[in-house]
Amino acid sequence: MNIAVLCSGNGTNLQAIIEAVKTGFIPAKIALVVSDNGGAYALTRAKNAGIETLVLNPKDYPVREAFDKEVIKNLSKKEVGLVVLAGFMRLLSPYFINEYRNRIMNIHPALLPSFKGTRGVKDALEYGVKITGPTVHFVDDKLDHGPIILQSAVEVKDDDTEETLLGRIHQEEHKIYPQAIKLFVEGRVKIEGRRVKIT
Ligand code: GRF
């Protein structure tokens, strides 16, 4: 299966996925890395691994759907079977979600449905939860809402800052994201309503 990874930033999750493909843990090919940010370090990571990259500037497109159509055109060319969002900071249009329904994954740095949005780590810390951690889920029409594939628990320590907590959440992300992708590629992920069963 060909997969595409969409990133806007550092790309540590992309790196974990690259390694997992390299070792054969994920039996798939990363056919394309797409970014909406030409300065994203994720692009350097992709290039270092010999993966094709595509940068699209949202400012060049009048509406969200036009941007998304351009992404989809490129994904279709590569016959992409799974779209992986890894720190991609743009909302996908309903058009995109329909085209790839149940074939788009995202990772969120909190235990959904708690602490949705872009401040998941900060919000969890400020709320005072004792356990948090990342969630891998399918993407549907609502933000951070689709069926949950994998989650991992991370204990919040008394002296944690956003930075130290994020560091430990990232370590877990780098385990469960490749794991979820592997399961999907192997055809072992079954969606039943909101529940995802692993076979
Ligand atoms: C991750 O923490 C992920 O949970 C969130 O964006 C961050 C991306 O980090 N969606 P990186 O670019 O993979 O390092």
Side-chain angles (χ1 to χ4, degrees), residues 9-14 86-89 106-109 166 170 173-174:
N10 187 354
T12 62
N13 280 283
L14 168 66
F88 189 61
M89 297 310 285
N106 183 42
I107 190 155
H108 180 74
L166 178 63
H170 264 151
E173 290 189 344
H174 301 160

Side-chain angles (χ1 to χ4, degrees), residues 32-194:
L32 190 64
V33 167
V34 181
S35 183
D36 60 337
N37 168 18
Y41 187 64
L43 291 166
T44 305
R45 295 180 191 273
K47 282 176 195 150
N48 288 344
I51 298 166
E52 199 176 313
T53 60
L54 171 72
V55 178
L56 299 174
N57 185 349
K59 288 191 186 131
D60 294 338
Y61 301 87
V63 287
R64 189 176 299 280
E65 200 169 297
F67 177 94
D68 284 4
K69 279 190 171 156
E70 189 60 26
V71 177
I72 287 169
K73 197 174 95 190
N74 284 278
L75 301 186
S76 305
K77 270 193 223 159
K78 299 283 182 194
E79 298 184 338
V80 163
L82 174 67
V83 179
V84 174
L85 307 184
F88 189 61
M89 297 310 285
R90 275 176 70 79
L91 284 177
L92 300 181
S93 61
Y95 177 80
F96 195 128
I97 291 161
N98 274 331
E99 285 290 305
Y100 282 88
R101 191 161 288 278
N102 297 339
R103 293 186 296 151
I104 311 170
M105 276 185 198
N106 183 42
I107 190 155
H108 180 74
L111 291 173
L112 294 174
S114 292
F115 310 116
K116 296 176 178 172
T118 55
R119 303 177 0 139
V121 178
K122 191 166 191 271
D123 288 348
L125 191 61
E126 283 176 0
Y127 193 89
V129 294
K130 300 296 185 192
I131 304 279
T132 185
T135 302
V136 180
H137 64 95
F138 285 109
V139 173
D140 69 5
D141 312 273
K142 293 186 203 145
L143 179 72
D144 298 332
H145 175 268
I148 292 169
I149 306 163
L150 293 177
Q151 293 184 303
S152 181
V154 173
E155 202 176 328
V156 181
K157 296 181 180 165
D158 288 349
D159 60 354
D160 260 332
T161 61
E162 194 181 336
E163 210 181 4
T164 58
L165 181 56
L166 178 63
R168 294 204 309 291
I169 291 172
H170 264 151
Q171 285 178 14
E172 291 306 305
E173 290 189 344
H174 301 160
K175 291 180 205 157
I176 66 169
Y177 217 180
Q179 178 73 37
I181 295 166
K182 173 193 177 69
L183 292 169
F184 182 90
V185 168
E186 291 176 346
R188 295 164 59 193
V189 175
K190 212 168 127 210
I191 306 176
E192 290 177 10
R194 272 213 59 88

Side-chain angles (χ1 to χ4, degrees), residues 1-5 13-33 49 51 82 84 174 177-179 181-182 185:
M1 184 186 294
N2 280 345
I3 65 180
V5 186
N13 280 283
L14 168 66
Q15 191 68 51
I17 297 162
I18 289 173
E19 304 304 329
V21 168
K22 235 187 245 170
T23 62
F25 181 73
I26 298 175
K29 180 186 170 189
I30 306 174
L32 190 64
V33 167
I51 298 166
L82 174 67
V84 174
H174 301 160
Y177 217 180
Q179 178 73 37
I181 295 166
K182 173 193 177 69
V185 168

